């Protein structure tokens, strides 16, 4: 089996940008994704801070542009290939999927992250029956209904605004009295009459029979519990990194995010990490794409030094 120059795992903005740069460096490049290209872009309605797109661009459109761009420079994209394990065989990385195994001289791990769970009673039971982690996917099912959004970051506030397109009312439930989202989004939320912030409250349970009917909330200041009738609940409380298959080859933070240097190098020579899976200050589409570019150029440099 001939080895790829670069195997990229994850076809979000980081992986696709890495594919553009690796392809343009004339490296034999494959990008594996567990689903289809786009990563979290696919669950984002509108991106309004990606440089150059001053009128905004939908997550789907941007992912399509990135996919076409990576393929234009020769990267091969393989969908539906969740990676189960990664090992070293001498100097080569062996990447296993359900479809078999492939080998690469370098590996760029850009597998992103998945939504964190609240881990309260009712959450797992009502997934798809009122509990959702994706407003773009499920928002339209809640036309003229009452929903709750959980979280106080950029995702929660942006998705609460998006849900007002459909829902008659959106409760925005946050565990503190201050949101952490950027001010421009907080101001939009304040101006939106459909959104009602519910502060200093945590969800104790999600209740219903066939579908979600209510939330039990606990006041973090007084300890008092109350019942809030809702038809749906959208949970945006952050993400966890997809790191398991490479965890033995990298150093991570306590939360599991991969530690790299500025050139996206991990502790294993030839293994680079890029995008949301990496420990860094700012997690945005533009910084994910930048990570991917740096990782691909570092892989190029690594191969040149090794192979001459
Ligand atoms: P985040 O910034 O980590 O915010 C998570 C929110 O959920 C916080 O408000 C946190 O509360 C709350 N939370 C965490 N665990 C909780 C729990 N168990 N119960 C209740 N609440 C809980 O996550 P994010 O909003 O998904 O954003 C992730 C990254 O992507 C951030 O860097 C963000 O800036 C970026 N992002 C950017 C954009 C954009 O620029 N347009 C859009 C989306 C996301 P505390 O505040 O009390 O910690």
């Amino acid at each position: 089996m001939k080895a790829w120059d670069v195997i990229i795992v994850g076809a979000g903005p980081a992986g696709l940008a890495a594919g553009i740069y690796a392809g343009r460096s004339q490296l034999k490049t494959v990008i594996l994704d567990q689903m289809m290209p786009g990563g979290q872009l696919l669950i984002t309605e509108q991106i309004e801070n990606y440089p150059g797109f001053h009128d905004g661009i939908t997550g789907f459109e941007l992912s399509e542009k990135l996919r076409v761009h990576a393929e234009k420079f020769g990267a091969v994209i393989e969908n539906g290939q969740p990676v189960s394990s990664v090992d070293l065989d001498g100097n080569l990385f062996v990447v296993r999927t359900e479809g078999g195994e492939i080998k690469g001289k370098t590996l760029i791990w850009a597998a992103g992250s998945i939504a964190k769970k609240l881990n309260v009673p009712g959450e797992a039971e009502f997934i798809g029956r009122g509990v959702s982690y994706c407003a773009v996917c499920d928002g339209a099912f809640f036309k003229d209904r009452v929903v709750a959004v959980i979280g106080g970051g950029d995702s929660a506030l942006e998705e609460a605004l998006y849900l007002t397109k459909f829902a008659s009312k959106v409760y925005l439930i946050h565990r503190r009295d201050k949101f952490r989202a950027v001010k421009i989004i907080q101001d939009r939320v304040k101006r939106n009459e459909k959104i009602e912030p519910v502060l200093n409250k945590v969800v104790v349970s999600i209740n219903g029979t066939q579908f979600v009917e209510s939330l039990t909330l606990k006041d973090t200041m007084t300890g008092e519990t109350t019942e809030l009738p809702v038809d749906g609940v959208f949970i945006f409380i952050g993400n966890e990194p997809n790191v398991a298959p490479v965890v033995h080859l990298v150093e991570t933070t306590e939360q599991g995010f991969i530690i790299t240097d500025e050139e996206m190098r991990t502790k294993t020579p030839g293994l680079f990490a890029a995008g949301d899976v990496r420990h860094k200050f700012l997690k945005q589409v533009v910084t994910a794409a930048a990570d991917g570019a740096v990782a691909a150029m570092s892989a190029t440099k690594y191969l040149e030094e090794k192979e001459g």
Side-chain angles (χ1 to χ4, degrees):
M1 182 197 336
K2 200 158 169 349
W4 294 87
D5 292 324
V6 190
I7 299 175
I8 298 168
V9 176
L16 291 170
I20 295 167
Y21 276 73
R24 211 162 161 267
S25 290
Q26 311 268 290
L27 300 179
K28 202 170 147 253
T29 303
V30 64
I31 307 176
L32 306 178
D33 197 278
Q34 58 182 347
M35 293 196 296
M36 58 190 279
Q40 293 200 55
L41 284 177
L42 295 177
I43 59 166
T44 307
E45 161 67 5
Q46 193 73 8
I47 316 277
E48 54 177 48
N49 53 5
Y50 194 76
F53 291 91
H54 49 81
D55 292 328
I57 181 165
T58 67
F60 180 76
E61 270 180 291
L62 184 55
S63 63
E64 267 303 284
K65 284 184 183 296
L66 291 168
R67 177 189 67 76
V68 169
H69 204 163
E71 287 181 335
K72 177 182 165 186
F73 286 117
V76 174
I77 300 178
E78 296 196 358
N79 301 322
Q81 297 290 332
V83 170
S84 51
S85 70
V86 175
D87 282 307
L88 273 169
D89 175 8
N91 280 335
L92 294 180
F93 292 93
V94 183
V95 176
R96 292 185 196 89
T97 66
E98 271 174 22
E101 64 176 43
I102 57 171
K103 290 188 178 179
K105 297 174 191 171
T106 63
L107 174 62
I108 297 176
W109 193 258
S113 55
I114 48 164
K116 258 171 56 180
K117 308 284 181 294
L118 277 173
N119 292 322
V120 296
E123 182 179 21
E125 187 187 341
F126 289 111
I127 286 180
R129 292 188 292 136
V131 170
S132 172
Y133 304 88
C134 176
V136 174
C137 321
D138 299 325
F141 296 121
F142 293 89
K143 193 159 169 16
D144 301 325
R145 315 291 288 274
V146 177
V147 299
V149 167
I150 317 297
D154 286 327
S155 301
L157 272 68
E158 283 191 358
E159 303 308 317
L161 283 163
Y162 174 71
L163 285 165
T164 61
K165 284 187 178 186
F166 311 102
S168 56
K169 173 145 196 108
V170 178
Y171 291 107
L172 179 55
I173 299 168
H174 183 35
R175 63 184 177 183
R176 291 189 294 130
D177 64 349
K178 283 191 181 59
F179 295 118
R180 69 167 62 228
V182 290
K183 190 161 178 309
I184 187 172
I185 305 292
Q186 292 199 35
D187 289 346
R188 274 185 218 161
V189 163
K190 268 188 212 147
R191 287 198 300 271
N192 193 307
E193 286 175 357
K194 281 190 177 178
I195 301 179
E196 181 176 330
V198 179
L199 300 175
N200 296 317
K201 298 275 195 293
V202 290
V203 178
V204 175
S205 65
I206 300 171
N207 320 307
T209 43
Q210 237 191 314
F211 295 95
V212 168
E213 290 166 13
S214 72
L215 302 176
T216 304
L217 302 178
K218 183 171 155 193
D219 190 299
T220 55
M221 311 301 276
T222 64
E224 187 194 354
T225 58
T226 47
E227 191 100 341
L228 182 71
V230 294
D231 301 303
V233 53
F234 288 80
I235 299 164
F236 299 105
I237 58 165
N239 295 296
E240 286 167 339
N242 276 324
V243 77
V246 290
V247 78
H248 54 300
L249 300 172
V250 297
E251 246 184 281
T252 65
T253 61
E254 252 175 51
Q255 292 76 33
F257 292 93
I258 298 175
I259 296 169
T260 69
D261 64 9
E262 278 196 15
E263 293 176 27
M264 307 300 141
R265 290 182 292 208
T266 67
K267 73 170 190 188
T268 301
L271 172 55
F272 306 87
D276 279 6
V277 77
R278 193 171 81 81
H279 172 62
K280 61 179 178 174
F281 168 64
L282 184 64
K283 289 187 176 159
Q284 300 275 303
V285 185
V286 66
T287 59
D291 281 4
V294 174
M297 295 319 288
S298 294
T300 308
K301 189 172 116 191
Y302 171 85
L303 287 171
E304 278 168 5
E305 284 170 2
K306 226 169 97 195
E307 298 181 347

